[in-house]
Amino acid sequence: DYRQLRVFQDAHQLVKHVYATTRNFPDSERFGLTSQIQRAAVSVPSNIVEGCGRTSTREYMRFLEIAYSSSCELRYQLLLARELELTEVPKFLEDLAEQVSKQLGRLLQSLGEAS
């Protein structure tokens, strides 16, 4: 059950915090960085969930790799938003994004060693 995975729980919280933060972005970014950040954030838990629905470890890992890639993309986008001063990007949000990336990396590593 994906809901029992700590990485899913943290990724789900990450999405909620991303949406709260991007609400404060300028309207001019609605179809730009705001949309990109939101899509990358939602992609992380969505791919964890989709991977859990797959029947093989190999397929599961493929979706976790996509989730990992999206978490890396999100980390860059949050950095960019902070440096462009679009709004105050809370440090805990960047830390949570990094934590989720690391969790996914460790999960992928453990599944790779098990197969």
Side-chain angles (χ1 to χ4, degrees):
D1 181 4
Y2 66 87
R3 292 170 289 195
Q4 302 304 314
L5 293 173
R6 178 61 189 231
V7 67
F8 167 78
Q9 295 167 6
D10 289 348
H12 179 68
Q13 291 303 312
L14 179 61
V15 172
K16 294 191 316 185
H17 290 297
V18 161
Y19 269 79
T21 299
T22 56
R23 258 187 235 124
N24 299 320
F25 279 21
D27 286 341
S28 63
E29 286 298 324
R30 179 181 299 135
F31 301 109
L33 197 53
T34 302
S35 178
Q36 286 291 112
I37 288 174
Q38 291 172 346
R39 279 198 305 261
V42 169
S43 176
V44 177
S46 296
N47 278 288
I48 293 169
V49 171
E50 189 167 354
C52 284
R54 298 299 168 151
T55 57
S56 73
T57 301
R58 182 175 169 198
E59 286 185 279
Y60 179 38
M61 288 179 67
R62 186 168 66 86
F63 282 93
L64 291 178
E65 288 169 351
I66 295 167
Y68 177 78
S69 295
S70 293
S71 72
C72 292
E73 178 184 359
L74 175 62
R75 289 171 59 196
Y76 166 69
Q77 292 164 345
L78 291 172
L79 169 70
L80 180 60
R82 181 172 41 81
E83 289 183 357
L84 293 175
E85 299 178 351
L86 298 178
T87 190
E88 178 68 28
V89 177
K91 173 88 168 93
F92 82 86
L93 183 57
E94 291 181 277
D95 291 346
L96 182 55
E98 182 177 355
Q99 176 181 317
V100 168
S101 289
K102 287 179 179 178
Q103 289 170 327
L104 285 164
R106 286 191 300 269
L107 180 55
L108 280 162
Q109 184 178 13
S110 69
L111 289 170
E113 292 169 358
S115 52

